[in-house]
Amino acid sequence: FVVETLGKIKSEQVIPALLKGAKNLDLDVRKEAIFWLGEIGSEQGIHALLEAAQDSDSVVRKWATHALSKIESEQAIPTLLQSLEHSSPDVRKESACALGKIGSETAVPSLLKTLKDANSGVRECSAKALGRIASGQAIPALLQAARDSDYSVRSRAVEALGEIGSEQAIPT
């Protein structure tokens, strides 16, 4: 409750307390602190969020990758790329979404791999991320994803192709 109250202030002055909370042994306190560090969106919280993205608890990792997506710092790219290979689909999904928000071409090869993930949510976020990055390199894989068995993945793939806006995206 205290961490939530501090976070709702949304001032950089509460960041030191949230940083302490992000290392707390209590899982709920850690999750709340991580969430609010992302909501405040300050670069001061990056190190703690990168550390939390390596936490042994997959729920903490998921919250940390989500928080990193709010800050949109390129410092997070290596950690997010690594998180695309995590066993938890929620962590992979949040990582793909975060990489799309950051928008770096560096993520394209890894997102092309997760576009074939067993989990449809991960595939959907990967397609959305590839559309945001708008790399022509993704067109063949997105055309393939436009025929995915899952409607949401197909829809996101088509939207991504539209965002890329290349004539190469027109099926022949």
Side-chain angles (χ1 to χ4, degrees):
F1 182 73
V2 173
V3 174
E4 181 181 2
T5 303
L6 285 172
K8 286 182 177 179
I9 295 170
K10 289 196 175 182
S11 165
E12 291 202 9
Q13 291 180 358
V14 301
I15 290 176
L18 293 175
L19 292 172
K20 278 179 98 174
K23 293 179 186 263
N24 195 291
L25 295 177
D26 184 287
L27 182 63
D28 291 329
V29 172
R30 276 201 325 267
K31 287 189 307 189
E32 280 291 321
I34 289 164
F35 172 80
W36 289 108
L37 283 168
E39 289 298 305
I40 292 171
S42 171
E43 292 272 335
Q44 290 180 45
I46 289 278
H47 182 71
L49 293 174
L50 291 173
E51 195 174 300
Q54 303 295 320
D55 197 277
S56 60
D57 186 279
S58 63
V59 175
V60 172
R61 287 177 90 131
K62 177 186 140 189
W63 279 96
T65 54
H66 179 76
L68 286 166
S69 77
K70 299 262 188 178
I71 297 174
E72 299 180 24
S73 171
E74 292 205 3
Q75 290 179 53
I77 292 172
T79 299
L80 293 170
L81 289 172
Q82 184 180 7
S83 293
L84 286 175
E85 297 176 15
H86 192 270
S87 60
S88 166
D90 289 336
V91 172
R92 295 193 308 273
K93 178 181 169 184
E94 287 295 337
S95 297
C97 289
L99 287 164
K101 288 181 181 178
I102 294 169
S104 172
E105 291 254 350
T106 306
V108 171
S110 296
L111 289 168
L112 290 173
K113 288 179 189 170
T114 55
L115 194 56
K116 297 176 184 175
D117 196 277
N119 181 280
S120 63
V122 176
R123 294 194 309 273
E124 181 182 352
C125 278
S126 297
K128 183 177 181 177
L130 288 165
R132 284 179 173 227
I133 295 169
S135 169
Q137 180 185 355
I139 292 172
L142 287 168
L143 285 169
Q144 182 75 28
R147 294 188 282 278
D148 193 277
S149 61
D150 184 272
Y151 172 78
S152 297
V153 176
R154 290 193 307 268
S155 176
R156 285 287 184 210
V158 170
E159 287 175 20
L161 288 164
E163 287 181 50
I164 293 171
S166 169
E167 287 182 13
Q168 288 180 296
I170 301 170
T172 54

